[in-house]
Amino acid sequence: MARIVSRALPFASRPSLCLLRPPPLPGAALLRSAAAAPPPLPPAASLLSWRGLTGAPEPSLAAPPPFAGFLSGIRGFRKARRGPAAAKRSQPQDAAPPPPPPPPPKESEIELIARIGVEEDMPDDDEVLNIVEILKLNVPMAMKIALDGLVDSNYSTRDTSISDVGKYDKVEVSVLLCNDNFIQNLSKEWRDEDCTTDMLSMSQHIPDLDVPILMLGDIVISVETAARQAEEKGVTLLDEVRVLVVRGILHLLGFNHETSDEAAMEMEKEEHLILKSLRWKGKGLAKGAHDSSKLQPDSLDGQVTDSQKRAVTLRFYRPKFKYIFCDMDGTLLNSKSQITARNAEALREARSRGVNIVIATGKARPAVIDALSTADLSGKTGIVSESSPGVFLQGLLVYGSEGRQIYKRNLDQEVCREALLYSLEHKIPLVAFSQDHCYSMFDHPLVDSLHYIYHEPKAKIVPSVDQLLGTAEIQKVLFLETPEGILSALRPYWAKAIEGRAHVVQAQPDMLELVPPATSKGNGVQILLNHLSISPDEVCSI
């Protein structure tokens, strides 16, 4: 029979599922079982004795090291088979003295190869990467004890197509860590079950295939689900991943707890023995399910559970987009120009997943900062500040990295003059926007509402048109009137009066804006993308 040694391949560069078994890497060192052993066992203990079996004693040898149980059991089995023949050879004969016994056959080594990978959509989470390094040693250890358990196994529900591994040179398994979305898609494709699960095991073993390598198969583990289960059970994420690895190995070796209660009991027993042998924490099939079910009632309406689920999920979710460009009025803000709690939470959740939020709006920058301050989303730690990038005033003002102005476009000065004079003559309130400031020709309640309701900078009253045009560069002007007045008079008049020189924009029924030709927030977004070297493929716009 062959002697088993374990080997863990170095962590490759984030393979996808179809690359779980790349060619062996050059220079990969063999990690023999002693190098990856748990703390020393008590004298004379072996893994077989933990299973209720005892290998044949060898008084002349010291206590076996950890993982010697499998080898000790094989030696004992050989002694039992050779016993009668050896006794017959030892009988005295009248002829020449018996020849010396032949040398024992040289033992070959079975390599236990574990390939550990992270699915490419997983972010670089430090805890996950640390678990990957630990699994390089842990998985071969679990394989070794699981294969040890096949010796003299009397489980009636296990598929025994894998039994004697002595004919193989290598035993190979792969473990892939992924997120919920990946394992759900995989479950739908492989099992026709559109649901999230903690672990999937896919056997690659072909019975009766005469090859020197036993390819057990692939174990896919969702760290998002594992993290939630670990929190429910009160164990660490590493503990839960180790349990799932053991469970996956047992599945690949023919155990299946879903077929019957007896099969579940037998698999639970073997899982417990392996975890105990390795001194790993964690809770197996029945215990884990029992603990999880007890925790559910603690949440009166499900909100706590949902919150906990989101909290552990966010750590491992890598979004499809790196940037979200978002409008304000009618998007983040409701009809009262207030950000809702749900939208504020969505912004925080997106940021926690590594998404950069960039505002693209017709508002001035101070208005956005003020509107989002009610949800603690403005300032240096928020999504908008005087040092953050953004697109404002319908794309006429664009701020880049560190909040520096990278683009500004002004409204034609003659159009500004005509609009200001029209406001004075017809007593229709008008607000002129100049970067972070607003100006008007006279006091009016609608001008004040632009500040108190819509968060725009409070307008400074400048009664002289020449004075205003001489001190400020105006990007756009905004008339405030009733919807009927805009529809019947203002819009038809200004659409004709500024044709070719400016453009009419109406975002609200009671507001009419005059802006330079070809003005759009989309143009401002494109300018900012070029400035920050961002590909449109990385952007979601709302």
Side-chain angles (χ1 to χ4, degrees), residues 248-297:
I249 292 173
L250 291 179
H251 280 161
L252 297 177
L253 290 177
F255 290 89
N256 188 351
H257 66 284
E258 297 179 347
T259 57
S260 66
D261 291 341
E262 182 184 4
M265 293 179 60
E266 290 191 342
M267 182 171 172
E268 180 190 357
K269 177 182 177 182
E270 187 67 13
E271 182 180 293
H272 173 73
L273 289 172
I274 295 175
L275 293 174
K276 180 180 178 182
S277 298
L278 292 169
R279 299 177 181 175
W280 288 352
K281 297 178 181 178
K283 300 174 182 178
L285 288 167
K287 183 66 174 176
H290 175 69
D291 289 353
S292 297
S293 63
K294 286 199 307 180
L295 285 171
Q296 297 301 325

Side-chain angles (χ1 to χ4, degrees), residues 303-340:
Q303 293 180 356
V304 175
T305 301
D306 291 343
S307 176
Q308 292 174 343
K309 178 178 178 179
R310 283 199 302 271
V312 297
T313 298
L314 298 187
R315 295 177 47 237
F316 308 112
Y317 176 82
R318 187 177 110 182
K320 297 179 180 179
F321 306 105
K322 294 182 180 179
Y323 294 86
I324 292 179
F325 281 71
C326 195
D327 193 13
M328 291 290 292
D329 292 314
T331 304
L332 287 183
L333 306 183
N334 59 18
S335 59
K336 297 180 180 180
S337 201
Q338 299 171 343
I339 183 168
T340 63

Side-chain angles (χ1 to χ4, degrees), residues 3-9 29-37 67 109-114 136-144 171:
R3 182 162 57 95
I4 296 181
V5 299
S6 59
R7 182 162 69 123
L9 294 183
L30 287 180
L31 301 177
R32 299 186 181 273
S33 55
F67 300 116
E109 294 182 346
I110 298 179
E111 296 181 23
L112 301 184
I113 303 174
K136 293 178 186 179
L137 297 179
N138 283 180
V139 176
M141 293 160 61
M143 292 170 64
K144 189 177 185 68
V171 179

Side-chain angles (χ1 to χ4, degrees), residues 212-244:
I213 301 177
L214 170 58
M215 294 183 292
L216 286 181
D218 306 320
I219 300 171
V220 183
I221 296 173
S222 170
V223 291
E224 289 181 354
T225 299
R228 291 193 295 270
Q229 294 178 170
E231 186 173 357
E232 292 172 353
K233 297 175 183 178
V235 298
T236 68
L237 177 58
L238 174 61
D239 293 333
E240 182 66 12
V241 170
R242 281 170 163 171
V243 170
L244 295 176

Side-chain angles (χ1 to χ4, degrees), residues 397-415:
L397 270 178
V398 182
Y399 297 96
S401 57
E402 305 300 326
R404 294 189 296 268
Q405 180 182 298
I406 61 172
Y407 177 79
K408 180 177 70 172
R409 188 179 181 190
N410 299 329
L411 182 62
D412 181 84
Q413 194 169 43
E414 285 303 311
V415 172

Side-chain angles (χ1 to χ4, degrees), residues 105-126:
K106 184 179 180 181
E107 293 176 339
S108 61
E109 294 182 346
I110 298 179
E111 296 181 23
L112 301 184
I113 303 174
R115 304 181 187 276
I116 316 298
V118 179
E119 201 272 322
E120 60 183 5
D121 280 344
M122 286 284 293
D124 291 333
D125 183 87
D126 290 340

Side-chain angles (χ1 to χ4, degrees), residues 501-529:
R501 298 181 297 157
H503 185 62
V504 174
V505 175
Q506 189 173 4
Q508 301 287 342
D510 55 354
M511 299 179 188
L512 185 74
E513 302 178 42
L514 307 184
V515 299
T519 295
S520 76
K521 286 174 281 189
N523 291 339
V525 169
Q526 187 60 60
I527 291 170
L528 184 55
L529 294 182

